[in-house]
Amino acid sequence: MTYRLLALNIDGTILKSNARITKQTKDAIEYVKNKGVYVTLATSRPFPAAKKLAKALKVDNCLITSDGAFIASSTDEPIFVRRIKEEKALQIVDILERYECHIRVMHDSYSIGNKVRQRNHLIAKMTIGVGDPLFYPITFVDSVCDQLMQEPIAPPKIQVQFFNKEEARRATEQLESVVAGVKVFESAPGRIDIVSAGVSKARGLQTLGEYLAISADEMVAIGSQDTDVEMINQVGLGVAMGNATDSVKEVADWLTRSNELNGVSYMIREVFRKQLRIKI
C-alpha cells in the first residue's frame, strides 16, 4: 500500500510534555513530505494555534482544527466549517455561567473567556498557554453571556474547565438534556469541549480526503487521545503513540514510541522508509 496522507495529532503526539517539537520530529516530517505525502494536523486546538505549529513544521496544507469543526489552510477560505449557531452558543453559555467554571468561546481568530478569580491567576495562565496570545488573542470579560448578547458570534467550539468533578457532571448532563444539536465530551480531566453534532477529527479527515481525492485506505493517522480513536480506526494505518490512552491503543494497527522518545519520527522512518516518492 502507498500512503498518500499523514495526519498528526498535536498534544501528546508531535509535542513533548514540555510543549516542544524535537529536531527529529521536524526532520521526519520533512522526510515524508519529500516523498510526496500530504501532511496535515488533526487537533483540538483552534486554527491559529495549529497554524503556528504547522509553520514551525513547514507544513502549509489544510489543517483539521477545533476537533474537526474548522478545516483550512487560511482563516479566509476554509474548505469546511461547522459552527455552533449564535443562539445556541448563547444558550450554552447561559447554562455554564450557573456553575463554577472557566468558559472559553473559541472563534476562528480569537477567544472570549470569563474572568475567574483563582489564587495566583492559574486559570488565566492555563488559557493563554493554549496558544500564543499574539496569534490567538483572548479577551477576558465579566460575563461571556452578556458579551454574546451584545455581540453574537457563532463559534466552531466552546471549551470549559471545571474545578469540581460533580459540577462538571451536572453541567454536562444539563447541556445534553437541554441543548439539541451539539456534542459534549470530556477532553481532559475537568475539561469539556462542545462542538456541533457530527463534528469529529474522523469526519474532518474524511472531508479532507474527499477534497484531495485521497481514500481512507491511503491515509496514516497517529494520535494519543480518546478524540483520536475514531480517526485512527478509519484509516489504512492507524498508529498509537506509546503514551496514548488504552482506548487508542486498542484500535490502532501499529504502536510507536512515546512522545518523549520521538515516537512520530520512529513511526515515519519505519512506515515510509521503503515507500517510493509519489508521482503527482
Side-chain angles (χ1 to χ4, degrees), residues 236-259:
L237 182 68
V239 182
M241 296 293 291
N243 53 289
T245 64
D246 290 341
S247 298
V248 176
K249 290 177 180 178
E250 285 173 7
V251 301
D253 305 301
W254 213 81
L255 178 65
T256 187
R257 298 169 180 170
S258 74
N259 59 333

mmCIF file of all heavy atoms in Angstrom, residues 236-259:
data_model
loop_
_atom_site.group_PDB
_atom_site.id
_atom_site.type_symbol
_atom_site.label_atom_id
_atom_site.label_comp_id
_atom_site.label_asym_id
_atom_site.label_seq_id
_atom_site.Cartn_x
_atom_site.Cartn_y
_atom_site.Cartn_z
ATOM 1 N N GLY A 236 -6.154 3.672 6.696
ATOM 2 C CA GLY A 236 -5.427 2.485 6.268
ATOM 3 C C GLY A 236 -4.448 1.985 7.312
ATOM 4 O O GLY A 236 -4.285 0.775 7.503
ATOM 5 N N LEU A 237 -3.769 2.932 7.971
ATOM 6 C CA LEU A 237 -2.850 2.563 9.045
ATOM 7 C C LEU A 237 -3.063 3.522 10.212
ATOM 8 O O LEU A 237 -2.736 4.707 10.130
ATOM 9 C CB LEU A 237 -1.393 2.637 8.575
ATOM 10 C CG LEU A 237 -0.350 2.228 9.626
ATOM 11 C CD1 LEU A 237 -0.463 0.726 9.930
ATOM 12 C CD2 LEU A 237 1.062 2.570 9.166
ATOM 13 N N GLY A 238 -3.614 3.002 11.287
ATOM 14 C CA GLY A 238 -3.837 3.791 12.492
ATOM 15 C C GLY A 238 -2.733 3.528 13.493
ATOM 16 O O GLY A 238 -2.461 2.368 13.831
ATOM 17 N N VAL A 239 -2.094 4.591 13.959
ATOM 18 C CA VAL A 239 -0.923 4.455 14.825
ATOM 19 C C VAL A 239 -1.192 5.103 16.179
ATOM 20 O O VAL A 239 -1.665 6.242 16.248
ATOM 21 C CB VAL A 239 0.326 5.104 14.186
ATOM 22 C CG1 VAL A 239 1.540 4.919 15.086
ATOM 23 C CG2 VAL A 239 0.588 4.512 12.807
ATOM 24 N N ALA A 240 -0.868 4.390 17.240
ATOM 25 C CA ALA A 240 -0.997 4.916 18.600
ATOM 26 C C ALA A 240 0.380 5.264 19.143
ATOM 27 O O ALA A 240 1.341 4.502 18.970
ATOM 28 C CB ALA A 240 -1.666 3.893 19.511
ATOM 29 N N MET A 241 0.482 6.415 19.792
ATOM 30 C CA MET A 241 1.711 6.779 20.479
ATOM 31 C C MET A 241 1.906 5.861 21.691
ATOM 32 O O MET A 241 0.935 5.335 22.248
ATOM 33 C CB MET A 241 1.641 8.233 20.939
ATOM 34 C CG MET A 241 1.556 9.248 19.814
ATOM 35 S SD MET A 241 3.046 9.324 18.804
ATOM 36 C CE MET A 241 4.220 10.044 19.978
ATOM 37 N N GLY A 242 3.145 5.711 22.127
ATOM 38 C CA GLY A 242 3.417 4.896 23.297
ATOM 39 C C GLY A 242 2.749 5.422 24.549
ATOM 40 O O GLY A 242 2.457 4.673 25.479
ATOM 41 N N ASN A 243 2.481 6.733 24.559
ATOM 42 C CA ASN A 243 1.829 7.379 25.701
ATOM 43 C C ASN A 243 0.327 7.544 25.497
ATOM 44 O O ASN A 243 -0.334 8.250 26.260
ATOM 45 C CB ASN A 243 2.445 8.761 25.929
ATOM 46 C CG ASN A 243 2.435 9.623 24.680
ATOM 47 O OD1 ASN A 243 3.191 9.354 23.741
ATOM 48 N ND2 ASN A 243 1.612 10.642 24.640
ATOM 49 N N ALA A 244 -0.216 6.893 24.476
ATOM 50 C CA ALA A 244 -1.644 7.022 24.161
ATOM 51 C C ALA A 244 -2.507 6.368 25.233
ATOM 52 O O ALA A 244 -2.051 5.521 26.005
ATOM 53 C CB ALA A 244 -1.943 6.390 22.799
ATOM 54 N N THR A 245 -3.771 6.752 25.248
ATOM 55 C CA THR A 245 -4.727 6.131 26.155
ATOM 56 C C THR A 245 -4.981 4.688 25.711
ATOM 57 O O THR A 245 -4.722 4.319 24.560
ATOM 58 C CB THR A 245 -6.059 6.890 26.179
ATOM 59 O OG1 THR A 245 -6.664 6.809 24.868
ATOM 60 C CG2 THR A 245 -5.864 8.355 26.546
ATOM 61 N N ASP A 246 -5.508 3.883 26.614
ATOM 62 C CA ASP A 246 -5.803 2.480 26.293
ATOM 63 C C ASP A 246 -6.795 2.378 25.135
ATOM 64 O O ASP A 246 -6.695 1.468 24.309
ATOM 65 C CB ASP A 246 -6.356 1.763 27.521
ATOM 66 C CG ASP A 246 -5.301 1.555 28.602
ATOM 67 O OD1 ASP A 246 -4.095 1.631 28.279
ATOM 68 O OD2 ASP A 246 -5.680 1.330 29.770
ATOM 69 N N SER A 247 -7.742 3.304 25.073
ATOM 70 C CA SER A 247 -8.753 3.277 24.004
ATOM 71 C C SER A 247 -8.102 3.428 22.629
ATOM 72 O O SER A 247 -8.512 2.773 21.664
ATOM 73 C CB SER A 247 -9.773 4.398 24.219
ATOM 74 O OG SER A 247 -10.465 4.231 25.428
ATOM 75 N N VAL A 248 -7.099 4.277 22.537
ATOM 76 C CA VAL A 248 -6.390 4.484 21.270
ATOM 77 C C VAL A 248 -5.579 3.241 20.922
ATOM 78 O O VAL A 248 -5.599 2.761 19.780
ATOM 79 C CB VAL A 248 -5.482 5.725 21.348
ATOM 80 C CG1 VAL A 248 -4.667 5.869 20.064
ATOM 81 C CG2 VAL A 248 -6.299 6.984 21.586
ATOM 82 N N LYS A 249 -4.876 2.711 21.902
ATOM 83 C CA LYS A 249 -4.031 1.533 21.651
ATOM 84 C C LYS A 249 -4.856 0.327 21.213
ATOM 85 O O LYS A 249 -4.399 -0.481 20.403
ATOM 86 C CB LYS A 249 -3.233 1.191 22.912
ATOM 87 C CG LYS A 249 -2.146 2.218 23.236
ATOM 88 C CD LYS A 249 -1.424 1.868 24.530
ATOM 89 C CE LYS A 249 -0.341 2.889 24.858
ATOM 90 N NZ LYS A 249 0.333 2.588 26.150
ATOM 91 N N GLU A 250 -6.074 0.220 21.723
ATOM 92 C CA GLU A 250 -6.926 -0.935 21.397
ATOM 93 C C GLU A 250 -7.330 -0.962 19.926
ATOM 94 O O GLU A 250 -7.483 -2.038 19.347
ATOM 95 C CB GLU A 250 -8.175 -0.919 22.282
ATOM 96 C CG GLU A 250 -7.910 -1.354 23.716
ATOM 97 C CD GLU A 250 -9.120 -1.157 24.605
ATOM 98 O OE1 GLU A 250 -10.204 -0.801 24.081
ATOM 99 O OE2 GLU A 250 -8.992 -1.351 25.840
ATOM 100 N N VAL A 251 -7.513 0.214 19.299
ATOM 101 C CA VAL A 251 -7.979 0.247 17.904
ATOM 102 C C VAL A 251 -6.841 0.425 16.905
ATOM 103 O O VAL A 251 -7.036 0.245 15.703
ATOM 104 C CB VAL A 251 -9.021 1.372 17.683
ATOM 105 C CG1 VAL A 251 -10.223 1.179 18.588
ATOM 106 C CG2 VAL A 251 -8.406 2.751 17.881
ATOM 107 N N ALA A 252 -5.647 0.753 17.388
ATOM 108 C CA ALA A 252 -4.531 1.045 16.486
ATOM 109 C C ALA A 252 -3.992 -0.215 15.808
ATOM 110 O O ALA A 252 -4.030 -1.310 16.371
ATOM 111 C CB ALA A 252 -3.414 1.745 17.262
ATOM 112 N N ASP A 253 -3.467 -0.035 14.598
ATOM 113 C CA ASP A 253 -2.810 -1.121 13.874
ATOM 114 C C ASP A 253 -1.338 -1.227 14.259
ATOM 115 O O ASP A 253 -0.715 -2.279 14.077
ATOM 116 C CB ASP A 253 -2.890 -0.870 12.356
ATOM 117 C CG ASP A 253 -4.309 -0.673 11.867
ATOM 118 O OD1 ASP A 253 -5.121 -1.592 12.060
ATOM 119 O OD2 ASP A 253 -4.605 0.402 11.299
ATOM 120 N N TRP A 254 -0.812 -0.131 14.770
ATOM 121 C CA TRP A 254 0.638 -0.040 14.994
ATOM 122 C C TRP A 254 0.880 0.793 16.235
ATOM 123 O O TRP A 254 0.210 1.810 16.444
ATOM 124 C CB TRP A 254 1.262 0.652 13.775
ATOM 125 C CG TRP A 254 2.639 0.225 13.388
ATOM 126 C CD1 TRP A 254 2.992 -0.879 12.662
ATOM 127 C CD2 TRP A 254 3.859 0.935 13.654
ATOM 128 N NE1 TRP A 254 4.358 -0.901 12.470
ATOM 129 C CE2 TRP A 254 4.908 0.202 13.067
ATOM 130 C CE3 TRP A 254 4.168 2.110 14.336
ATOM 131 C CZ2 TRP A 254 6.234 0.602 13.135
ATOM 132 C CZ3 TRP A 254 5.492 2.518 14.403
ATOM 133 C CH2 TRP A 254 6.510 1.767 13.809
ATOM 134 N N LEU A 255 1.814 0.397 17.069
ATOM 135 C CA LEU A 255 2.154 1.136 18.284
ATOM 136 C C LEU A 255 3.585 1.632 18.172
ATOM 137 O O LEU A 255 4.509 0.835 17.974
ATOM 138 C CB LEU A 255 1.996 0.239 19.515
ATOM 139 C CG LEU A 255 2.354 0.869 20.874
ATOM 140 C CD1 LEU A 255 1.396 2.017 21.206
ATOM 141 C CD2 LEU A 255 2.325 -0.191 21.975
ATOM 142 N N THR A 256 3.754 2.939 18.272
ATOM 143 C CA THR A 256 5.093 3.511 18.188
ATOM 144 C C THR A 256 5.580 3.896 19.583
ATOM 145 O O THR A 256 4.943 3.606 20.589
ATOM 146 C CB THR A 256 5.111 4.720 17.240
ATOM 147 O OG1 THR A 256 6.467 5.158 17.052
ATOM 148 C CG2 THR A 256 4.281 5.889 17.770
ATOM 149 N N ARG A 257 6.703 4.575 19.632
ATOM 150 C CA ARG A 257 7.253 5.020 20.915
ATOM 151 C C ARG A 257 6.460 6.222 21.442
ATOM 152 O O ARG A 257 5.611 6.770 20.742
ATOM 153 C CB ARG A 257 8.724 5.389 20.734
ATOM 154 C CG ARG A 257 9.593 4.213 20.298
ATOM 155 C CD ARG A 257 10.981 4.675 19.883
ATOM 156 N NE ARG A 257 11.811 3.545 19.461
ATOM 157 C CZ ARG A 257 13.002 3.663 18.876
ATOM 158 N NH1 ARG A 257 13.501 4.875 18.645
ATOM 159 N NH2 ARG A 257 13.699 2.593 18.524
ATOM 160 N N SER A 258 6.774 6.635 22.647
ATOM 161 C CA SER A 258 6.071 7.774 23.253
ATOM 162 C C SER A 258 6.536 9.099 22.653
ATOM 163 O O SER A 258 7.536 9.154 21.922
ATOM 164 C CB SER A 258 6.307 7.794 24.767
ATOM 165 O OG SER A 258 7.634 8.224 25.047
ATOM 166 N N ASN A 259 5.818 10.161 22.977
ATOM 167 C CA ASN A 259 6.208 11.493 22.504
ATOM 168 C C ASN A 259 7.538 11.935 23.109
ATOM 169 O O ASN A 259 8.250 12.762 22.524
ATOM 170 C CB ASN A 259 5.113 12.523 22.797
ATOM 171 C CG ASN A 259 4.774 12.642 24.273
ATOM 172 O OD1 ASN A 259 4.941 11.700 25.055
ATOM 173 N ND2 ASN A 259 4.268 13.796 24.669
#
